[in-house]
Amino acid sequence: MNQQTLSAFIWSVADLLRGDYKQSEYGRIILPFTVLRRLDCVLEATKPAVLAEYQAKRNLDIPPDPFLLRVAGQSFFNISPLDMKKLMGDQDHISQNLYSYLNGFSPEVRDVFERFEFHAQIDRLSKAGLLYQVAEKFSQIDLHPDRVSNHQMGLVFEELIRKFAELSNETAGEHFTPREVIRLMVNLIFIEDDGILSRPGVVRTIYDPTAGTGGMLSIAGEYLEEHNPKARLTVYGQELNPESYAICKADMLIKGQDVSKIAFGNTLSEDGHPATTFDYMLSNPPFGVEWKKVEKEVRREHETAGYDGRFGPGLPRVSDGSMLFLLHLIAKMRPVEDGGARFGIVLNGSPLFTGGAGSGESEIRRYVLENDLLEAIIGLPTDMFYNTGISTYVWIVSNKKPAHRKGKVQLIDASGMWQKMRKSLGSKRKELSEEHIADITRLFGSFTESDADGKPISRIFNNSAFGYRTITVERPLMEDGKPVVGQKGKTKGKKLPDPKLRDTENVPLDQDVEDYFRREVLPHVPDAWIDHDKTKVGYEIPFNRHFYVFQPPRPLEAIDAELTQVVSRIQAMLGEIAG
């Protein structure tokens, strides 16, 4: 069964719900029932053996759970004699039997359905007289992984969530990231470690602090399985949205992951994995979302823990919390002495340049660059994400840069690498092809400057190229045509500055301040001086400026000739109207 057929079949359940439910409520029924049927199919083959083992261990008064997990061959089990098909045999007691069946699952699965608030939905469906019909629909489809792979199932969930989000005017992009963007990010964080990852029995950890439905963690797992089936990836995550968390957890259960490593809650205010560090990390935090709700906790950590906490370098403005996730991931990097870490994070353009010298954003960039953590930034095409058409950038950050990358940052302009989608999905109109992903990965891996069609697409800079000093230029306060001199304290005998004439200049870090001042300022204002006490260091990454290619305007003669032609055409048309 292909993804479209399956999605269409599941979507047909909406026909049953129409009238009793608003469109925006369909997901509350369809998502948990899809998860339930998936789990039901996974356990079907081992169900008789699990029930027999359960009875045997009960008779011996032995705690059965470890034995049941082994017999089930999964990281979950169900001890109810019922399953979805058996539920169909007793229409009159469908509600009680479904509750009983759900209670037969192991605790981690029961938590999934609690996050969906599934019991309340069962009750509502029962009162509307729809419970049996909906359950019967789902009992008719086979969602066993042999029929519907984990990858396909992930795509089905994403399509359903996107549809429900559109119906309820929610933001689908908060829940998941386009698969091809994740594949690119996974390639980039693993590429320099291919040698290590190909060793038999290697175990590595990966973490997503904004896990959504688990797409990033799943694709990272698929990549490693494809390249080295003997390697093992232990996944960790955290998610704030209850439904997304439930789907992520169910997906990880089926894949045999330890779901206790998927935490629920707000990553910024309640870190679900305190004191844990990771080998690899991926994140697509929400763009331009304010962090006012967690401001108290974040500021407290910044002020009391400093650099021992996650937010030591600085805090961005409250209107956009995406750079807090950047700091969170940096704090979660495995120390260099233990092997180091690398991560990829999707950010919009704001973290590149927002905030002048001394601002929270600039101080965060300063920390990243002065500690030589930034490997590369890749500019993606616009219209790549479901909920926004704006420009987006993938930052690759590492504390284990190879020798040839040390002290350097690579900027890759991939904004022209895209193909048009056959059908738009929300704001998403473009996608990366496999060839585009391979090209970007190759550009990153080769670490060389290169051009395409006469335009630069890969450039390499020293870290210091993004730094500058903001100097304060003062001019004297004048009275009766003479400079006013201070009479006491620090200013005694010195010219007093005129605040109205005060100005600032940004001097690149790799230029001498005094040379710059003599060359750029003094020829225009000979009486000026620098107040060195006010000098601040700032960092910004003017990404687009580094890829701008000047296009000279057309010759005036060509423009004149074109205008003459246009005027002649207009006169001819006016003549026809008048005639």
Side-chain angles (χ1 to χ4, degrees):
M1 190 181 293
N2 67 32
Q3 179 203 335
Q4 282 80 15
T5 309
L6 181 58
S7 295
F9 182 90
I10 295 171
W11 191 248
S12 70
V13 176
D15 293 334
L16 290 173
L17 302 175
R18 196 165 284 118
D20 291 276
Y21 283 79
K22 295 177 194 165
Q23 284 190 325
S24 59
E25 296 174 323
Y26 293 170
R28 298 178 192 175
I29 306 300
I30 292 174
L31 291 171
F33 261 110
T34 306
V35 169
L36 179 61
R37 181 59 178 146
R38 175 75 162 178
L39 300 176
D40 188 65
C41 292
V42 168
L43 294 178
E44 188 176 8
T46 59
K47 190 72 180 272
V50 167
L51 292 175
E53 183 73 6
Y54 177 62
Q55 199 54 53
K57 292 299 178 279
R58 274 187 72 188
N59 293 341
L60 295 170
D61 204 22
I62 295 171
D65 288 17
F67 301 96
L68 300 181
L69 290 168
R70 194 172 68 229
V71 173
Q74 303 291 337
S75 54
F76 62 100
F77 57 80
N78 187 297
I79 54 171
S80 166
L82 297 164
D83 57 30
M84 287 285 285
K85 287 190 174 153
K86 282 184 181 150
L87 287 170
M88 297 304 98
D90 187 358
Q91 184 168 353
D92 293 338
H93 299 96
I94 179 72
S95 180
Q96 301 94 301
N97 289 342
L98 184 51
Y99 284 135
S100 173
Y101 176 45
L102 288 170
N103 287 334
F105 277 108
S106 44
E108 292 292 4
V109 176
R110 292 203 301 274
D111 179 53
V112 166
F113 291 107
E114 280 168 24
R115 300 292 177 187
F116 277 125
E117 298 182 346
F118 193 37
H119 283 64
Q121 299 307 330
I122 292 170
D123 192 39
R124 186 174 167 187
L125 279 171
S126 182
K127 283 174 181 167
L130 292 170
L131 182 57
Y132 185 82
Q133 293 173 67
V134 171
E136 185 181 36
K137 273 259 189 194
F138 280 96
S139 71
Q140 291 167 0
I141 52 172
D142 185 355
L143 296 183
H144 191 279
D146 291 345
R147 294 289 307 279
V148 183
S149 71
N150 286 329
H151 180 72
Q152 274 182 302
M153 201 70 227
L155 293 175
V156 167
F157 276 126
E158 289 185 4
E159 188 178 335
L160 289 171
I161 287 172
R162 183 181 54 75
K163 282 183 175 178
F164 298 138
E166 284 174 2
L167 288 170
S168 57
N169 292 320
E170 283 183 15
T171 316
E174 286 179 6
H175 302 286
F176 49 84
T177 308
R179 291 276 164 142
E180 81 272 19
V181 175
I182 304 174
R183 281 202 300 278
L184 170 65
M185 293 172 73
V186 167
N187 277 10
L188 298 176
I189 65 166
F190 283 158
I191 184 172
E192 289 173 355
D193 296 347
D194 273 352
I196 299 163
L197 294 172
S198 60
R199 292 178 197 158
V202 69
V203 179
R204 288 291 181 268
T205 56
I206 189 160
Y207 167 63
D208 182 352
T210 52
T213 56
M216 286 192 165
L217 299 173
S218 294
I219 290 177
E222 287 165 17
Y223 177 100
L224 208 53
E225 179 120 355
E226 199 180 299
H227 288 74
N228 178 16
K230 291 179 180 172
R232 185 154 176 270
L233 203 58
T234 306
V235 304
Y236 292 75
Q238 184 158 352
E239 174 54 30
L240 177 60
N241 178 281
E243 286 183 353
S244 299
Y245 168 79
I247 291 170
C248 178
K249 196 169 178 179
D251 188 40
M252 295 302 154
L253 273 168
I254 292 160
K255 289 173 180 163
Q257 290 285 351
D258 177 0
V259 291
S260 67
K261 294 180 168 65
I262 307 296
F264 179 74
N266 190 309
T267 305
L268 299 178
S269 57
E270 44 183 324
D271 181 3
H273 303 285
T276 312
T277 56
F278 306 99
D279 299 299
Y280 302 102
M281 294 173 278
L282 292 164
S283 180
N284 175 18
F287 300 154
V289 174
E290 66 171 34
W291 48 282
K292 204 161 193 59
K293 284 184 195 168
V294 295
E295 184 177 3
K296 192 173 155 192
E297 295 88 342
V298 169
R299 286 199 185 281
R300 187 190 304 125
E301 183 173 337
H302 170 68
E303 286 158 12
T304 58
Y307 284 87
D308 291 332
R310 295 172 293 166
F311 310 121
L315 299 177
R317 62 202 64 195
V318 176
S319 57
D320 186 356
S322 56
M323 288 186 94
L324 292 175
F325 286 98
L326 176 67
L327 287 177
H328 171 79
L329 289 174
I330 289 170
K332 292 291 181 185
M333 296 173 101
R334 176 151 287 170
V336 181
E337 57 271 22
D338 296 335
R342 180 176 295 108
F343 70 78
I345 182 170
V346 182
L347 297 168
N348 64 9
S350 177
L352 294 169
F353 51 79
T354 300
S359 68
E361 291 90 350
S362 177
E363 287 299 292
I364 294 168
R365 288 189 292 268
R366 180 179 183 176
Y367 181 84
V368 170
L369 288 159
E370 290 188 353
N371 285 281
D372 199 18
L373 297 174
L374 184 60
E375 283 197 308
I377 297 176
I378 298 90
L380 297 178
T382 55
D383 303 321
M384 283 292 292
F385 288 78
Y386 302 106
N387 60 327
T388 180
I390 63 171
S391 297
T392 50
Y393 302 83
V394 175
W395 293 40
I396 303 298
V397 179
S398 175
N399 61 0
K400 55 171 184 178
K401 280 189 180 183
H404 63 284
R405 283 189 180 270
K406 287 194 184 299
K408 308 276 186 188
V409 174
Q410 183 179 15
L411 302 183
I412 297 173
D413 180 12
S415 60
M417 299 185 193
W418 55 273
Q419 63 186 25
K420 199 166 193 279
M421 292 176 66
R422 280 176 307 186
K423 185 187 170 195
S424 296
L425 297 174
S427 297
K428 183 171 172 60
R429 297 177 182 87
K430 300 173 185 172
E431 63 186 359
L432 298 172
S433 67
E434 289 299 326
E435 194 178 328
H436 294 136
I437 293 171
D439 287 345
I440 298 166
T441 305
R442 192 166 52 249
L443 282 169
F444 175 79
S446 65
F447 192 62
T448 53
E449 296 204 330
S450 55
D451 292 19
D453 302 322
K455 294 179 181 177
I457 53 170
S458 171
R459 299 202 60 192
I460 294 165
F461 299 89
N462 292 326
N463 292 343
S464 59
F466 304 111
Y468 60 90
R469 290 184 187 86
T470 296
I471 60 170
T472 301
V473 176
E474 301 283 18
R475 293 178 64 192
L477 182 66
M478 305 295 282
E479 205 172 84
D480 299 327
K482 292 182 182 178
V484 178
V485 177
Q487 299 299 315
K488 52 186 178 181
K490 281 187 184 177
T491 62
K492 190 171 182 181
K494 294 180 181 175
K495 293 178 189 172
L496 294 180
D498 185 343
K500 291 176 188 167
L501 299 176
R502 185 172 292 145
D503 202 358
T504 58
E505 293 271 338
N506 288 342
V507 183
L509 271 188
D510 51 12
Q511 288 190 31
D512 181 88
V513 169
E514 296 296 342
D515 285 349
Y516 176 94
F517 184 68
R518 279 193 296 271
R519 186 178 69 249
E520 302 291 339
V521 180
L522 286 181
H524 308 287
V525 278
D527 58 356
W529 72 90
I530 301 170
D531 184 344
H532 290 286
D533 290 340
K534 292 190 177 120
T535 298
K536 291 178 182 173
V537 173
Y539 279 83
E540 67 174 17
I541 304 169
F543 188 95
N544 293 334
R545 192 196 306 161
H546 292 304
F547 293 97
Y548 173 73
V549 177
F550 175 69
Q551 299 282 355
R554 290 182 301 150
L556 281 173
E557 295 80 9
I559 297 169
D560 274 346
E562 196 174 303
L563 282 171
T564 303
Q565 283 181 333
V566 171
V567 169
S568 298
R569 277 204 305 273
I570 292 169
Q571 284 174 337
M573 288 163 68
L574 289 170
E576 287 172 19
I577 293 166

